[in-house]
Amino acid sequence: MKKDNMLYFLEAQLEKNFGDYDFAIDWNTKNHTVEVIGVIYAQNQTDQAIEDTEGVHSEEEVIEFEDSLVLYNPDKFTPNEEEYLAMIPYEGKKGIQKRVLVAVATYFKDVLTEGESDLLDFLGDEEAEVFELNWDNAAFEKVLSEVTGLTDYTAYPKY
């Protein structure tokens, strides 16, 4: 039986909430971070040429867009906020409250749903120059406030 920890609890919440959206969890033991990656897809019906942040051009029929948030231990590592949709600290080996992970999975799914719609709009608008997902901390805090119970912690995983 798997021992309960941040990774297992988070994965279960993402599977429960994400539905058809793809996700990945990347645990970086060196930096003590857990990156949660969400993926959306959209049909590029106008065959618009898209350039990503690394300068790669694509005219694929289906555009894949991914973005991520990071869970981090502020005593061990400070992530670059420009690289992530959101940065959520946890408390060392103690981990993080389960309700925070429930809110992360719930709100990140909402961000992807809105982002999928925005991506379709972006692909249909030849004047649009930039597309990105939007994480609203106030909206996340509202979702977090609606998660009742689950104030116990799930531990940071052991190596």
Side-chain angles (χ1 to χ4, degrees):
M1 184 172 119
K2 295 179 182 178
K3 183 168 170 132
D4 187 32
N5 65 41
M6 283 172 54
L7 295 178
Y8 294 127
F9 190 83
L10 177 60
E11 181 178 25
Q13 293 307 308
L14 292 169
E15 286 174 353
K16 177 180 171 184
N17 284 286
F18 267 43
D20 291 335
Y21 293 110
D22 290 338
F23 70 88
I25 298 172
D26 183 17
W27 177 30
N28 183 323
T29 56
K30 179 182 175 198
N31 292 335
H32 301 270
T33 60
V34 176
E35 185 176 359
V36 182
I37 304 154
V39 184
I40 56 176
Y41 302 91
Q43 194 76 26
N44 187 4
Q45 296 176 345
T46 60
D47 295 326
Q48 185 174 344
I50 305 295
E51 182 179 333
D52 68 14
T53 56
E54 296 167 355
V56 176
H57 289 273
S58 173
E59 293 180 31
E60 298 292 323
E61 286 185 31
V62 176
I63 300 296
E64 176 183 327
F65 182 87
E66 67 179 46
D67 208 340
S68 60
L69 61 88
V70 65
L71 306 174
Y72 70 103
N73 178 346
D75 294 334
K76 302 282 186 181
F77 184 75
T78 303
N80 179 347
E81 66 184 55
E82 293 179 13
E83 292 181 20
Y84 298 101
L85 189 58
M87 300 182 347
I88 300 170
Y90 66 87
E91 298 179 40
K93 291 180 181 180
K94 184 177 180 181
I96 195 166
Q97 283 186 330
K98 289 181 178 180
R99 70 187 203 96
V100 174
L101 296 180
V102 169
V104 163
T106 302
Y107 184 63
F108 198 6
K109 189 253 185 192
D110 294 345
V111 168
L112 292 176
T113 300
E114 184 70 27
E116 191 171 50
S117 174
D118 292 347
L119 181 56
L120 289 169
D121 293 344
F122 171 78
L123 291 171
D125 182 357
E126 292 184 21
E127 301 296 315
E129 294 184 21
V130 177
F131 167 79
E132 60 187 10
L133 294 179
N134 297 303
W135 182 279
D136 180 339
N137 283 325
F140 172 70
E141 290 296 328
K142 183 178 184 311
V143 170
L144 181 60
S145 72
E146 294 168 354
V147 178
T148 57
L150 297 174
T151 57
D152 55 321
Y153 280 71
T154 182
Y156 182 78
K158 295 180 181 177
Y159 301 114

